Structure formats: C-alpha cells, structure tokens
C-alpha cells in the first residue's frame, strides 16, 4: 500500500534535515516506536501498537538507505516481525524537504510503501491513509522542534501506537465529512 503525506513545518530546512539524520530521534518522535541500537546507518528497534485491549509488539531492523543532503532527500527501509505472532511488516519511506518563503519554514513530503502480513485486520489503503494522517502530523511536528524529541519535551507517548483511537478518530472525521456534504 502506498501512502503520501505533506506538511509545512515551522523550522528551517537545515534543522529538519539534521533531525531526520538522527535515527534515535526518529524513534522518539514516532508514536509507539523506540530505536534501541544504531550502528552507522543501520538500526534496531521496536513498535508497540494497541488495538483496543490487545497490544501488538513488533521487533525490527532497518537502514537509512539514501542520504542526499544537496537534494534534501533521504530514504529509510525497515522490516519487522510481530513478537508473539505471525505478523510481519515492511516499510520504505522516502523523505523530500523543500525550503519555503524566507527559509524559516520547510515543506516535508513523505512517500511510504507499507506492507502488512498476518495482522488481524484487512483495511483499504484509503482508510489507512486517513488514519495515518494525524500520526504523521504528530511525527513531523516533533521532527521540526529543537531538542531531542518527545522524551525531552515531556510529551512521551508511552502507551504505544493506539490503532483503535486512530480508527475512532478516522470514523469521526468520516461522519463529519458526510454531514458537511449533506449541508451543501
């Protein structure tokens, strides 16, 4: 499944680029993720996702496979295995940064290829795109602020990635969209 996200960030391109080159920071900023080891461009980590009362844990490895500072483009690839099940996931993310206006703002574009195998749900890419939007917005906002990320700012997300809450937020937004279309 292919997902796309774009957001304007209140930080200069150089600062955002530096934050994205810090693999540990990426782990601190993504909800439910933790990078446990870094060796050059390679990393080991985990993601905790909640689905109602059920918690899913994925252990994985990944690499920063491309870093082109002149083009402000990077690529990250990772694979993960569900700790207590048969689920598997692969992800390939391409980041493209563009300076805006006077250089104090940056547009970040993420193109994500995501494959889930064996998870207890099968949803369409449109639903996944809309459910992922608020998560990626939080992630990109964290990547644009000075400091070390959520743990330094006291905004740690120790509950993991809450898939049920994301789905609830998604279905709420779908209902609002439907009501708005009826009013027109």
């Amino acid at each position: 499944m292919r997902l796309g996200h774009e957001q304007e960030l209140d930080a200069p391109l150089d600062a955002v680029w530096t934050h994205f080159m810090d693999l540990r920071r990426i782990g601190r900023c993504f909800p439910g993720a933790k990078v446990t080891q870094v060796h050059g461009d390679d990393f080991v980590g985990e993601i905790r996702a909640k689905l109602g009362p059920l918690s899913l844990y994925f252990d994985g490895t990944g690499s920063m496979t491309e870093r082109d500072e002149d083009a402000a483009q990077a690529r990250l690839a990772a694979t993960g295995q569900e700790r207590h099940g048969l689920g598997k996931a692969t992800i390939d993310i391409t980041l493209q940064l563009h300076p805006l206006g006077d250089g104090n703002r940056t547009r970040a574009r993420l193109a994500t290829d995501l494959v889930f195998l064996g998870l207890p749900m099968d949803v369409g890419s449109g639903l996944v795109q809309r459910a992922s939007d608020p998560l990626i917005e939080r992630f990109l906002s964290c990547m644009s602020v000075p400091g070390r990320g959520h743990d330094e700012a006291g905004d740690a997300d120790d509950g993991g990635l809450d898939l049920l809450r994301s789905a609830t937020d998604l279905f709420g937004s779908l209902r609002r969209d439907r009501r708005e279309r009826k009013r027109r």
Side-chain angles (χ1 to χ4, degrees):
M1 143 181 355
R2 184 146 178 97
L3 305 173
H5 296 91
E6 184 172 323
Q7 186 172 333
E8 291 185 13
L9 307 173
D10 289 323
L13 186 141
D14 291 342
V16 176
W17 177 262
T18 299
H19 295 163
F20 269 99
M21 295 304 103
D22 180 349
L23 294 172
R24 289 193 188 276
R25 182 184 179 109
I26 289 172
R28 285 190 301 273
C29 283
F30 195 83
K34 181 179 181 183
V35 172
T36 57
Q37 297 175 32
V38 174
H39 303 285
D41 285 341
D42 300 325
F43 64 93
V44 175
E46 58 189 51
I47 290 184
R48 177 178 173 214
K50 291 173 27 178
L51 183 58
L54 182 67
S55 289
L56 303 170
Y57 296 88
F58 284 84
D59 296 312
T61 60
S63 294
M64 183 74 70
T65 60
E66 178 185 332
R67 292 178 193 243
D68 185 345
E69 188 170 2
D70 292 335
Q73 183 168 315
R75 191 171 183 171
L76 185 114
T79 60
Q81 174 76 36
E82 188 179 358
R83 195 176 290 171
H84 302 290
L86 300 175
K88 292 183 180 183
T90 62
I91 189 166
D92 190 322
I93 301 168
T94 301
L95 165 73
Q96 181 69 59
L97 301 175
H98 300 279
L100 295 174
D102 62 0
N104 289 324
R105 292 180 53 79
T106 303
R107 174 174 288 122
R109 287 190 178 120
L110 293 179
T112 305
D113 289 310
L114 180 63
V115 177
F116 285 119
L117 301 172
L119 286 177
M121 61 185 148
D122 183 19
V123 295
S125 60
L127 288 176
V128 173
Q129 174 71 52
R130 290 192 63 180
S132 67
D133 287 346
L135 297 171
I136 298 301
E137 182 179 328
R138 283 175 46 204
F139 168 69
L140 289 173
S141 294
C142 177
M143 293 300 287
S144 70
V145 297
R148 296 183 41 191
H150 286 303
D151 63 341
E152 182 175 275
D155 190 21
D157 192 334
D158 58 2
L161 175 57
D162 191 336
L163 298 174
L164 187 59
R165 186 178 79 194
S166 295
T168 302
D169 293 346
L170 167 64
F171 291 121
S173 72
L174 291 174
R175 276 191 237 118
R176 281 190 301 277
D177 290 350
R178 197 171 341 141
R179 281 192 301 251
E180 288 174 12
R181 281 194 302 261
K182 284 182 180 178
R183 283 187 219 152
R184 293 183 204 159

